[in-house]
Amino acid sequence: MANERTPLYAHRLFRENVDDSGEQIYTKSDSFYQVKPKRKQRLPVELEFSLNNGIILPQTKIPGKFGEKKIPFLLQCALVVACILAIILSIGFGYSLSVLYAELIREFNADRTLVAFNQSIYEALLAVGGALWSYPVSKLGYGYSIMIGGFLGSFSMAICSLAKNVPTVIVLVGFISGASFGVVYMGPFIVAGDISKRYKAAVIGFVSIGSSFGQFAMPYAMERCISEYGWEGALLVLGALCLNAVPCGLIMLVVHRARGAEGDSAQSASAKRSLFKSSLFNSKMFWLLMLNSIILAFTILAESRFLVDLAELRGYTRTEGSFLIQMIGVGNLVGGLMGVASKIVCRLSSAAHMSYCILVVAASHVMVVYFDTYSGLIGAAFVNGVGVGNIIAHVAVVMFEIYGIEDFAPSFASWNIMKGVGNLMGGSLGGVIQDTTGSYDLLFQISAILSVFYSFSFAGICVYRWRRSRTYKLIM
């Protein structure tokens, strides 16, 4: 134990507690701190501390009757499938809006700036779902919240099939469906992380593959439905399809109850707790992560948002443009699998993987600008998908590696809030640039430059954490 002559330093220190001798172990702080012994009443909680990539994390052991029941294996598998499907439906529909984007421009003869706002506001509200649903989640849990959000979003989408103008589409799809599906997208990452404490990072990465499947399947479904039934029928069919989010939430509720009432007392990231934690903002690295979240959302979805319209402007059909989005989905799936495999076989942190994966995305931006042929666009779409899939597989894991199980939920929710800001900026600015300059080239050039900054930023985070880890080991 530390004494008055022996300082003990750590970057992240946690709440006051005592060991069996009655001495103080750690006091919560975001700066370097000297710990001195202090007599205090013993608490019935045992704390262990382990070094996770240079960060001291608390691992709470709650003895006896407060332990959680083990979830049966088949129920664990059902929960993983439900989480993946919920992500496919929520974020996949967002990707399919790029196909609807081109159709609405033609149907209503509307400005791209106005129509692009529909997709950008959906993506923004989808990302900030953790904030919008914080209170319902704290009262009801993720199971009930996902069931409610899935029903409201799907119903609003189906009603939109009766819309007579673009503003109505923006309200029903962009605002209501986006806000409703926010918890359907955010919840699975948190819930899946509780399946296995030992392989938590790998499970979170595996569930994120749902985004890749969604980008491949949903734009294809949107294209086929528009071809067969028009854009109104497409929204009606996809609204019915997205109702599958309701049974996904039901499965999560069943698993939660299978843990037993005692599970509510355990330290679980999906427990009924607030998704906000103001103390996170006291760290400069957290602010840098939030800036990177805005940049990431602004840059990586440029192809997904505008490639269909860009293809039509270059003389190709909407079907050929939709195929480009599907190629992004194929690349996204390949990249997602590569990202999950890299976490299993490679000892690098997810932050290190993200620092070079974003350069792959930057290369796809350059290809879109300077490759005029259709085969060149296909190549750019696939390369973009590979980079995006890798990044998506690592994003949630980065927040877990840096902040641990205790702060994973609030840190990931904050990341998604900033991501929503980037989604709103990127989607809206793309339409403005096209209407103003007659081309999307400037948008892709800006995205490429920001991607390079993002790469250097995450490389700096990796160096900082590596040096901090070495300092801790020397002290210990």
Side-chain angles (χ1 to χ4, degrees):
M1 289 303 301
N3 55 51
E4 295 184 359
R5 296 183 180 179
T6 307
L8 177 62
Y9 299 94
H11 180 70
R12 285 185 51 78
L13 302 172
F14 294 85
R15 67 182 178 84
E16 288 189 2
N17 212 318
V18 293
D19 64 358
D20 291 337
S21 64
E23 290 186 345
Q24 176 179 326
I25 298 179
Y26 294 109
T27 301
K28 185 176 179 67
S29 173
D30 285 324
S31 60
F32 291 95
Y33 192 87
Q34 179 174 346
V35 179
K36 297 181 180 181
K38 181 181 179 181
R39 302 294 298 180
K40 202 166 185 177
Q41 184 180 1
R42 187 179 306 172
L43 300 178
V45 179
E46 301 173 8
L47 290 181
E48 291 182 353
F49 290 86
S50 62
L51 184 65
N52 182 11
N53 293 323
I55 303 171
I56 304 177
L57 301 178
Q59 298 176 349
T60 306
K61 288 185 175 181
I62 304 179
K65 63 180 180 180
F66 295 105
E68 289 185 354
K69 295 180 180 179
K70 186 176 180 181
I71 307 174
F73 177 73
L74 290 179
L75 202 53
Q76 291 183 25
C77 294
L79 180 59
V80 170
V81 172
C83 289
I84 293 176
L85 180 58
I87 294 173
I88 289 174
L89 297 174
S90 57
I91 200 169
F93 179 73
Y95 287 129
S96 73
L97 290 179
S98 60
V99 182
L100 184 66
Y101 169 77
E103 184 66 18
L104 292 178
I105 292 173
R106 182 186 305 104
E107 179 71 21
F108 295 105
N109 194 26
D111 292 336
R112 287 173 173 81
T113 302
L114 177 64
V115 182
F117 187 67
N118 178 54
Q119 187 173 0
S120 61
I121 198 66
Y122 178 90
E123 293 170 347
L125 292 176
L126 187 75
V128 302
L132 296 176
W133 287 84
S134 179
Y135 182 77
V137 166
S138 67
K139 296 298 182 180
L140 303 175
Y142 278 106
Y144 281 119
S145 297
I146 289 175
M147 292 169 67
I148 296 171
F151 176 78
L152 290 177
S154 302
F155 181 75
S156 178
M157 197 185 306
I159 291 296
C160 188
S161 62
L162 304 175
K164 301 300 182 181
N165 51 58
V166 174
T168 303
V169 176
I170 293 174
V171 171
L172 292 174
V173 172
F175 280 96
I176 300 180
S177 292
S180 299
F181 281 136
V183 70
V184 180
Y185 171 69
M186 172 73 179
F189 289 99
I190 309 301
V191 174
D194 290 333
I195 296 175
S196 172
K197 293 183 178 180
R198 182 176 181 183
Y199 302 105
K200 186 181 182 78
V203 173
I204 293 173
F206 179 74
V207 167
S208 67
I209 294 178
S211 175
S212 305
F213 282 112
Q215 187 164 17
F216 171 75
M218 296 298 279
Y220 175 76
M222 178 69 80
E223 168 60 29
R224 290 300 303 271
C225 289
I226 289 177
S227 299
E228 294 289 334
Y229 312 112
W231 69 270
E232 302 96 332
L235 285 177
L236 188 61
V237 172
L238 265 65
L241 180 64
C242 288
L243 270 176
N244 285 286
V246 176
C248 290
L250 181 61
I251 291 175
M252 296 177 193
L253 179 63
V254 170
V255 172
H256 175 73
R257 291 185 174 180
R259 291 174 178 270
E262 301 90 344
D264 288 339
S265 302
Q267 294 293 332
S268 170
S270 66
K272 299 176 181 179
R273 63 177 66 172
S274 173
L275 293 178
F276 289 102
K277 197 165 187 177
S278 59
S279 61
L280 293 174
F281 291 88
N282 296 331
S283 168
K284 293 179 180 178
M285 186 172 68
F286 185 78
W287 283 102
L288 181 58
L289 287 169
M290 296 302 100
L291 175 61
N292 281 334
S293 178
I294 296 175
I295 293 174
L296 184 66
F298 184 95
T299 58
I300 66 171
L301 297 179
E303 283 80 1
S304 299
R305 294 183 182 113
F306 302 111
L307 213 50
V308 176
D309 189 47
L310 184 146
E312 289 190 338
L313 291 173
R314 293 187 181 181
Y316 304 106
T317 65
R318 189 197 67 234
T319 301
E320 290 173 319
S322 301
F323 179 74
L324 296 176
I325 303 300
Q326 295 168 38
M327 286 304 300
I328 295 177
V330 173
N332 201 322
L333 179 59
V334 173
L337 293 174
M338 291 172 59
V340 174
S342 66
K343 287 304 299 178
I344 298 175
V345 303
C346 184
R347 295 181 62 85
L348 288 176
S349 67
S350 287
H353 288 293
M354 291 180 68
S355 67
Y356 68 79
C357 289
I358 193 65
L359 296 178
V360 178
V361 178
S364 71
H365 298 329
V366 175
M367 293 171 68
V368 169
V369 175
Y370 296 105
F371 288 16
D372 292 330
T373 64
Y374 186 68
S375 59
L377 291 178
I378 292 177
F382 182 78
V383 170
N384 177 263
V386 171
V388 172
N390 264 285
I391 290 172
I392 292 176
H394 290 290
V395 163
V397 184
V398 165
M399 307 310 290
F400 172 68
E401 287 180 347
I402 294 178
Y403 294 102
I405 190 172
E406 182 77 11
D407 292 338
F408 169 64
S411 63
F412 190 49
S414 299
W415 172 279
N416 279 290
I417 292 173
M418 295 298 104
K419 177 184 173 184
V421 175
N423 284 333
L424 186 61
M425 294 171 56
S428 301
L429 185 61
V432 172
I433 289 176
Q434 168 59 33
D435 287 338
T436 304
T437 66
S439 171
Y440 288 108
D441 288 355
L442 180 60
L443 173 68
F444 288 101
Q445 290 166 350
I446 294 173
S447 298
I449 294 172
L450 290 176
S451 297
V452 174
F453 171 82
Y454 181 97
S455 175
F456 280 105
S457 175
F458 258 96
I461 290 174
C462 293
V463 172
Y464 168 74
R465 297 183 69 231
W466 175 73
R467 293 183 63 183
R468 191 177 66 183
S469 175
R470 290 191 62 190
T471 302
Y472 173 81
K473 289 178 181 179
L474 289 175
I475 293 172
M476 294 301 290

